[in-house]
């Protein structure tokens, strides 16, 4: 048997797993990120977690490599963090690959957290039968990745496909990226909460939900009228953005994952209808809108899957 170790570094938690060649998790561990304590303590957690995963494998020679997926813009060649915002304060500039490679005698791969989710889909999910797809992760923010002919679109250093920062309203609120009206401000978890809070502040009606994404989505499923107003904006905004992605990339599929997308089939059905209304029929006809396969395990599976995606295939890590 051969195994890879995957690490998924997020704003609230770090997940570790041992993955076999077929994508099965054989061991796992999770710790809180505690990003406010600084990058040094976070890297110490990463190294200790990898140690734990190493010790769980009987034969060390069976470990084929270590894969890391991290929030932020990642220089995938160097394995360093180009930029992170408030999600991981002071994480910018961290040389993840160098520190891990110095400690372990094995191959190390580092990439953005949504890029590795796309790799998980390519290796074990929808991408097994689909070489051209867009991957969206609807979480606290919105992350994106694009597979073209089975390879990730990278850009200059690996920062391509920041799909959450595509504007759907030039007169909309200012985004942290510097643009106005980014889709992340409407259809992410934080965006849904923002819309709910604005509605509560501006409206005179009483609301049966707190202004957070979980409560608003739950109230929407219960046909609460004010939550329905919020979710109508969310679905219109996301549908508009996805129509743009379809026209830009001409994909076979748009894979929608993340916590917001896990709110049930009603969300995807409503989104599918919105995308249909906004997309040219000849482009929409060859593109499916489908849910991601792996839920909260997608990041850690994809992180580990880099070892085989790059190490045992014709896909070069440096391909654009």
């Amino acid at each position: 048997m051969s195994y890879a170790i995957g690490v998924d570094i997020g704003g609230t938690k770090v997940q570790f797993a041992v993955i076999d060649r077929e994508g099965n998790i054989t061991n796992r561990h999770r710790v809180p990120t505690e990003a406010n304590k600084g990058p040094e303590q976070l890297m110490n957690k990463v190294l200790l977690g990898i140690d734990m995963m190493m010790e769980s494998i009987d034969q060390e020679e069976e470990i084929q490599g270590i894969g890391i997926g991290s929030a932020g813009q990642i220089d995938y060649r160097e394995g360093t963090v180009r930029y992170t915002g408030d999600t991981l304060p002071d994480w910018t500039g961290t040389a993840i690959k160098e520190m891990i490679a110095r400690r372990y005698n094995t191959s190390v791969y580092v990439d953005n957290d949504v890029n590795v989710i796309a790799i998980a889909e390519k290796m074990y999910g929808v991408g097994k039968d689909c070489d051209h797809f867009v991957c969206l992760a609807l979480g606290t923010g919105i992350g994106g990745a694009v597979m073209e002919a089975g390879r990730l679109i990278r850009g200059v250093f690996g920062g391509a496909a920041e799909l959450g920062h595509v504007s759907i309203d030039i007169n909309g609120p200012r985004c942290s990226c510097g643009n106005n009206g980014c889709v992340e401000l409407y259809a992410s978890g934080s965006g849904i909460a923002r819309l709910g809070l604005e509605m509560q502040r501006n409206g005179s009606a009483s609301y049966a939900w707190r202004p957070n994404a979980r409560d608003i989505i739950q109230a929407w499923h219960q046909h609460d009228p004010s939550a329905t107003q919020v979710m109508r904006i969310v679905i219109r905004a996301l549908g508009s953005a996805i129509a743009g992605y379809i026209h830009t990339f001409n994909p076979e599929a748009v894979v929608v994952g993340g916590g917001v997308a896990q709110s049930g089939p009603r969300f995807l059905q409503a989104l599918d209808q919105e995308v249909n209304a906004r997309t040219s029929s000849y482009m929409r006809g060859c593109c499916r809108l489908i849910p991601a396969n792996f839920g909260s395990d997608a990041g850690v599976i994809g992180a580990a899957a880099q070892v085989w995606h790059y190490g045992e295939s014709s896909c070069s890590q440096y391909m654009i």
Side-chain angles (χ1 to χ4, degrees), residues 77 84 87 130 145 179 217 226 233 237 240 276-277 285 290 317 320:
R77 291 186 177 93
T84 57
T87 304
C130 176
N179 203 354
I217 291 170
S226 54
I233 296 170
S240 176
N276 278 345
I290 53 179
Q317 186 184 5
I320 302 300

Side-chain angles (χ1 to χ4, degrees), residues 169-189:
D169 182 3
I170 60 173
N171 298 311
R174 189 76 165 172
C175 181
S176 61
C177 75
N179 203 354
N180 289 78
C182 292
V183 65
E184 181 172 287
L185 296 173
Y186 300 88
S188 64

Side-chain angles (χ1 to χ4, degrees), residues 94-231:
T94 303
I96 301 174
K97 181 175 180 178
E98 179 185 338
M99 285 187 264
I100 293 174
R102 192 187 305 149
R103 186 174 179 122
Y104 307 102
N105 183 30
T106 189
S107 300
V108 179
Y109 302 90
V110 182
D111 209 338
N112 166 266
D113 52 357
V114 187
N115 280 350
V116 303
I117 291 173
I119 290 172
E121 293 292 345
K122 179 60 192 163
M123 293 287 292
Y124 308 115
V126 62
K128 290 177 72 174
D129 301 310
C130 176
D131 282 341
H132 308 268
F133 63 91
V134 173
C135 187
L136 291 176
L138 310 179
T140 304
I142 294 179
V146 178
M147 278 277 183
E148 172 66 24
R151 298 185 177 98
L152 285 164
I153 291 178
R154 294 290 194 177
V156 175
F157 63 82
E162 285 283 358
L163 300 181
H165 293 292
V166 170
S167 176
I168 49 91
D169 182 3
I170 60 173
N171 298 311
R174 189 76 165 172
C175 181
S176 61
C177 75
N179 203 354
N180 289 78
C182 292
V183 65
E184 181 172 287
L185 296 173
Y186 300 88
S188 64
S190 59
I192 294 170
R194 181 188 67 83
L195 291 170
L197 183 60
E198 284 185 359
M199 181 167 287
Q200 287 190 344
R201 286 173 174 168
N202 297 333
S204 57
S206 61
Y207 295 89
W209 38 263
R210 293 170 296 177
N212 63 65
R214 184 186 300 274
D215 279 17
I216 291 169
I217 291 170
Q218 183 176 355
W220 174 61
H221 283 305
Q222 296 167 352
H223 304 287
D224 176 274
S226 54
T228 298
Q229 290 182 53
V230 172
M231 292 306 293

